[in-house]
Amino acid sequence: MLEELKPEDFLRLGQKYLSATRASTGRASPTSSTRCRTISGTLPDSFDFASAKIIDARRNAMACCFSNFKQLFAAGQEFTYSLEDIGRYYRTYVELMAHWDSVLPGRVLRVEHEDVVENLEANVRRILDFCGLDFEPQCVEFYKTERSIRTASSEQVRRPIFKEGIDQWRNFEPWLAPLKEVLGRD
């Protein structure tokens, strides 16, 4: 389909995308004089939009899948309603990210969730360097923001990073066997 598009089609699609994301990018930060020009996607299916520098925010497979399984998403994440489906989806994500790593070297920065929890500032600086952005103290004091937050983890964003959720899935391990089986397949 891309081969059939004309330049004006790309322009129209770009304008439609910017319009749809205006809520995320249209406001100036209270501490910044510039408009936000960076968009982040936090839904489980954000990994398939590899048209720019990508931050692969990776988490332990069991922790990630369990976190998504226990979250009731509004729409579009139906694969999270089945342990088997979410396990297959995670495997697909890992395979696709490996593909992007191989065909777009240097465009994907993998950031491990557990590393961020252990050393937030160092990892934030690493991400900002990768994106060519300057460090600001608000980056590590995200929980102080007064702006609207529209993600499934909006409550977590209102407090500093915490370690309690890292192994939360282990409390439910006896019921997660179907997930473990799918994730463990070669």
Side-chain angles (χ1 to χ4, degrees):
M1 179 180 139
L2 289 176
E3 293 174 351
E4 299 171 13
L5 293 178
K6 297 176 179 68
E8 58 268 20
D9 295 325
F10 285 104
L11 179 61
R12 181 180 48 77
L13 289 170
Q15 289 171 336
K16 182 177 178 183
Y17 180 77
L18 290 174
S19 176
T21 59
R22 193 158 325 280
S24 301
T25 63
R27 256 186 248 151
S29 163
T31 59
S32 172
S33 60
T34 60
R35 291 167 57 94
C36 176
R37 301 222 187 280
T38 304
I39 299 170
S40 64
T42 59
L43 287 174
D45 64 353
S46 296
F47 66 89
D48 59 353
F49 300 108
S51 61
K53 287 186 176 183
I54 304 294
I55 310 296
D56 177 8
R58 191 153 312 181
R59 189 173 179 187
N60 167 279
M62 287 296 290
C64 181
C65 292
F66 175 72
S67 176
N68 286 305
F69 181 71
K70 70 184 180 104
Q71 177 64 49
L72 179 60
F73 291 99
Q77 310 299 321
E78 287 81 11
F79 65 91
T80 64
Y81 303 147
S82 155
L83 290 173
E84 292 88 352
D85 288 349
I86 199 167
R88 282 189 290 274
Y89 201 88
Y90 187 90
R91 287 176 57 105
T92 300
Y93 146 69
V94 169
E95 291 168 9
L96 184 58
M97 294 312 297
H99 167 75
W100 291 132
D101 284 341
S102 69
V103 300
L104 298 173
R107 298 271 301 273
V108 178
L109 175 68
R110 180 159 304 115
V111 179
E112 300 288 342
H113 173 76
E114 295 78 8
D115 294 342
V116 172
V117 170
E118 283 301 315
N119 193 339
L120 176 62
E121 186 171 332
N123 282 279
V124 166
R125 286 182 182 277
R126 183 172 161 243
I127 292 167
L128 293 172
D129 286 344
F130 177 74
C131 294
L133 300 170
D134 293 330
F135 177 82
E136 296 181 5
Q138 296 87 343
C139 295
V140 293
E141 296 175 343
F142 55 86
Y143 51 90
K144 294 181 179 178
T145 187
E146 294 180 14
R147 68 180 171 82
S148 173
I149 298 169
R150 297 182 212 160
T151 70
S153 58
S154 61
E155 292 298 314
Q156 294 172 351
V157 176
R158 298 283 182 211
R159 58 186 206 171
I161 288 206
F162 56 97
K163 296 180 182 184
E164 294 81 18
I166 287 180
D167 286 327
Q168 187 181 46
W169 67 272
R170 292 191 186 279
N171 296 326
F172 301 88
E173 191 168 5
W175 298 277
L176 299 177
L179 174 60
K180 271 184 152 178
E181 182 180 330
V182 170
L183 288 173
R185 291 183 191 152
D186 290 333

